[in-house]
C-alpha cells in the first residue's frame, strides 16, 4: 500500500470521512510536496492539495496523486467549498491554532470535527526504504562532521564557534541545514540538557557536549557526543562510563515487539543502580524522520510497540548541577531481530588537550 492508501485505511479505522492536514511534514509525507505552505484534504475518493499561486507549479510536479487547487493565502474558504459533504472531519489538534479552529467550525458547519493529532504521525513512524536511505545519509553527514570538527577544536574557542563549524561542515557535505538549534555546552553548562551554544569559551578540565544533526532531503539526524578537555578526574570517567553502559544496554534492548517503556527501563536501571537516577530527568529517546522529534518515543510512558523500520534515538544522560553532564546519543534502525546502529562516530571516552 502506498502512503495515501495507508492514510485512507487509518481514516476508515478511526471512523472519519475526511481529514485536513496543515502540518508541513505531514503534508510532505502524504503528498510529496516540499513547499510547506499547503493544506491537504483527504477523503476516501478525493486527495486535494490547496496552495497559492507561488507553489502551483511545484505542487503539480511534486504531488502527482493530488488534485491541485489554487487558493488565496487563506485556505479555509476553499476548503469549506470542497468539504460540504463531510460528516466527520479529523484535524491536527496539536497544530491548528485557535483562529484556524474557528475557521474550520465555520467552514464545516454540518460536520463533527475531531482532533486526531497522531493520525499521520502514526503512519510516519515506520519508514520505507527511500526514507531509510535519506536518514542514513543524514546520519553520515553528521558523523563525518564530528570526525572533521573534533580535530579542529581548540581550548579558548567559543561554543558558538564549534556549533558553526559543525553546521558549515554539514552544509558543505549536502545538508540543507541543521536539524535543530545545536547544543554545544561545556563545563557546568554541560549539566543543561538543552544548553544552546553560547559565547562561553571552552576550557581545560571540563566536559564538552555536542548535540547536533543534519537535514538531508527533508530527513533529520540527531547525534550527541561528550568529550573531555584535558585531564579527567575519576568522577568524570565514572559518570561517562555509566552513561555509556546505559546507552549500550538501551541499544541492546531495542527490538520489535518491545515497547518504548520497556527499552527506557533497561537503560534507566543502569543509571539508577549507579546512584545517578535523579540526574537523568528525560526520556531515553525519540523517533526521527521528517521532524527531529516524532513518535514513538522511548520513555517511561510509551506503550507503542517497536516495529521494523522505525528509526529512533537512544540518548541517556547524567546532568549534575554545578558540576557538569554527559549525554551520548546514537540513531538506530529497528530491524527484524533487533536494531542496526546507524551512527558511526566513536563513543569511547575521549579526552584531549
Ligand atoms: Mn535527540
Amino acid at each position: 500500500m502506498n502512503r495515501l492508501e495507508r492514510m485512507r485505511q487509518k481514516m476508515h479505522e478511526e471512523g472519519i470521512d475526511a481529514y485536513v492536514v496543515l502540518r508541513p511534514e505531514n503534508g510532505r509525507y502524504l503528498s510529496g510536496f516540499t513547499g510547506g505552505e499547503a493544506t491537504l484534504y483527504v477523503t476516501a475518493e478525493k486527495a486535494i492539495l490547496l496552495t497559492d499561486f507561488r507553489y502551483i507549479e511545484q505542487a503539480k510536479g511534486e504531488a502527482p496523486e493530488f488534485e491541485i487547487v489554487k487558493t488565496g493565502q487563506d485556505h479555509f474558504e476553499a476548503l469549506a467549498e470542497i468539504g460540504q459533504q463531510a460528516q466527520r472531519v479529523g484535524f491536527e489538534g496539536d497544530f491548528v491554532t485557535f483562529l484556524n479552529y474557528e475557521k474550520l467550525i465555520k467552514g464545516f458547519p454540518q460536520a463533527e470535527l475531531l482532533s486526531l493529532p497522531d493520525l499521520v504521525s502514526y503512519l510516519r513512524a515506520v519508514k520505507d526504504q527511500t526514507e531509510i536511505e535519506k536518514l542514513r545519509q543524514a546520519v553520515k553527514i553528521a558523523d563525518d562532521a564530528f570526525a572533521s570538527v573534533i580535530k579542529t577544536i581548540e581550548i579558548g574557542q567559543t561554543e558558538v564557534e564549534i556549533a558553526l563549524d559543525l553546521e558549515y561542515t554539514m552544509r558543505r557535505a549536502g545538508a540543507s541545514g541543521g536539524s535543530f538549534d545545536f547544543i554545544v555546552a561545556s563545563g557546568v553548562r554541560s549539566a543543561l540538557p538543552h544548553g544552546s551554544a553560547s559565547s562561553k569559551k571552552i576550557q581545560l578540565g571540563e566536559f564538552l557536549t555536542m548535540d547536533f544533526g543534519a537535514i538531508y532531503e527533508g530527513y533529520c539526524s540527531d547525534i550527541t557526543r561528550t568529550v573531555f578537555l584535558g585531564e579527567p578526574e575519576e568522577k568524570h570517567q565514572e559518570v561517562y562510563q555509566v552513561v555509556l553502559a546505559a546507552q549500550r544496554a538501551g541499544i541492546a534492548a531495542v527490538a520489535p515487539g518491545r515497547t518504548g517503556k520497556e527499552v527506557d527501563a533497561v537503560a534507566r536501571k543502569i543509571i539508577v543502580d549507579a546512584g545517578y537516577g535523579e540526574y537523568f530527568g528525560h526520556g531515553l529517546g525519540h523517533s526521527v524522520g521528517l521532524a527531529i522529534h516524532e513518535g514513538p518515543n522511548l520513555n517511561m510512558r510509551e506503550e507503542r510497540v517497536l516495529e521494523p523500520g522505525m528509526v529512533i534515538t537512544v540518548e541517556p544522560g547524567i546532568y549534575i548541577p554545578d558540576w557538569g553532564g554527559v549525554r551520548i546519543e546514537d540513531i538506530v534502525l529497528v530491524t527484524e531481530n533487533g536494531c542496526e546502529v546507524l551512527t558511526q562516530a566513536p563513543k569511547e571516552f575521549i579526552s584531549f588537550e
Side-chain angles (χ1 to χ4, degrees):
M1 273 197 289
N2 70 17
R3 293 176 188 179
L4 199 50
E5 287 163 351
R6 287 167 65 220
M7 174 68 180
R8 285 176 169 141
Q9 187 186 47
K10 191 81 185 137
M11 287 168 57
H12 180 74
E13 285 166 21
E14 298 286 346
I16 53 170
D17 53 8
Y19 193 84
V20 177
V21 178
L22 294 175
R23 190 184 278 283
E25 55 266 32
N26 285 342
R28 177 170 183 164
Y29 181 78
L30 291 172
S31 73
F33 176 66
T34 61
E37 294 187 43
T39 300
L40 304 189
Y41 182 75
V42 179
T43 69
E45 293 85 33
K46 286 187 252 184
I48 295 170
L49 185 154
L50 302 142
T51 193
D52 67 75
F53 83 102
R54 293 171 299 168
Y55 295 107
I56 293 297
E57 290 310 310
Q58 184 182 348
K60 281 179 185 164
E62 290 180 338
E65 285 186 288
F66 280 71
E67 180 191 334
I68 312 300
V69 171
K70 185 174 156 186
T71 69
Q73 302 270 353
D74 188 332
H75 301 177
F76 289 90
E77 273 179 34
L79 199 56
E81 274 174 43
I82 291 164
Q84 284 172 2
Q85 309 300 320
Q87 291 307 309
R88 286 167 60 83
V89 180
F91 67 98
E92 298 147 323
D94 61 335
F95 189 77
V96 172
T97 62
F98 185 75
L99 289 178
N100 283 342
Y101 181 60
E102 287 184 321
K103 289 178 187 172
L104 278 176
I105 292 173
K106 222 174 134 200
F108 294 91
Q110 79 289 359
E112 187 184 347
L113 294 173
L114 295 108
S115 168
L116 296 166
D118 298 329
L119 202 104
V120 186
S121 64
Y122 186 91
L123 303 176
R124 278 170 43 205
V126 176
K127 274 69 181 176
D128 61 30
Q129 271 320 310
T130 59
E131 294 182 288
I132 290 168
E133 287 316 309
K134 288 172 185 174
L135 283 161
R136 279 184 195 280
Q137 188 59 25
V139 170
K140 185 177 187 305
I141 289 170
D143 268 340
D144 290 348
F146 179 75
S148 148
V149 170
I150 195 76
K151 289 185 208 147
T152 68
I153 287 177
E154 281 176 18
I155 299 304
Q157 257 187 321
T158 67
E159 294 170 353
V160 167
E161 286 171 320
I162 295 167
L164 284 171
D165 284 349
L166 287 166
E167 181 163 355
Y168 179 84
T169 308
M170 292 195 297
R171 294 201 62 173
R172 296 280 304 197
S176 61
S179 52
F180 57 96
D181 190 10
F182 298 166
I183 293 159
V184 177
S186 58
V188 294
R189 294 192 79 253
S190 62
L192 307 172
H194 273 188
S196 293
S198 77
S199 58
K200 178 187 172 299
K201 291 179 174 163
I202 63 169
Q203 296 164 25
L204 288 175
E206 54 186 36
F207 276 124
L208 169 63
T209 298
M210 290 159 281
D211 183 353
F212 60 98
I215 300 175
Y216 178 74
E217 294 192 9
Y219 285 80
C220 300
S221 63
D222 194 0
I223 171 178
T224 308
R225 287 295 181 268
T226 303
V227 300
F228 196 81
L229 307 169
E231 200 58 48
E233 289 166 18
E234 207 174 307
K235 189 171 175 181
H236 294 121
Q237 295 267 15
E238 184 203 315
V239 167
Y240 192 91
Q241 295 307 333
V242 172
V243 174
L244 184 57
Q247 208 254 357
R248 291 206 161 119
I251 289 172
V254 171
R258 294 243 167 82
T259 63
K261 200 172 158 175
E262 288 166 345
V263 176
D264 180 277
V266 169
R268 193 168 300 278
K269 185 174 189 306
I270 288 172
I271 292 177
V272 170
D273 287 353
Y276 294 104
E278 65 176 301
Y279 302 118
F280 176 28
H282 59 72
L284 182 65
H286 55 90
S287 292
V288 290
L290 288 168
I292 183 68
H293 292 125
E294 41 185 74
N297 294 295
L298 302 176
N299 64 31
M300 289 192 270
R301 299 166 305 282
E302 182 62 78
E303 304 282 358
R304 188 166 176 190
V305 167
L306 296 175
E307 295 174 51
M310 289 179 174
V311 178
I312 198 158
T313 71
V314 180
E315 50 175 312
I318 293 176
Y319 315 93
I320 303 174
D322 300 320
W323 181 77
V326 174
R327 178 169 62 255
I328 304 168
E329 172 181 34
D330 287 338
I331 290 182
V332 305
L333 165 66
V334 183
T335 60
E336 296 294 333
N337 309 310
C339 73
E340 179 193 344
V341 182
L342 302 184
T343 314
Q344 299 294 319
K347 56 187 176 187
E348 290 302 332
F349 189 91
I350 302 174
S351 65
F352 61 95
E353 298 296 312

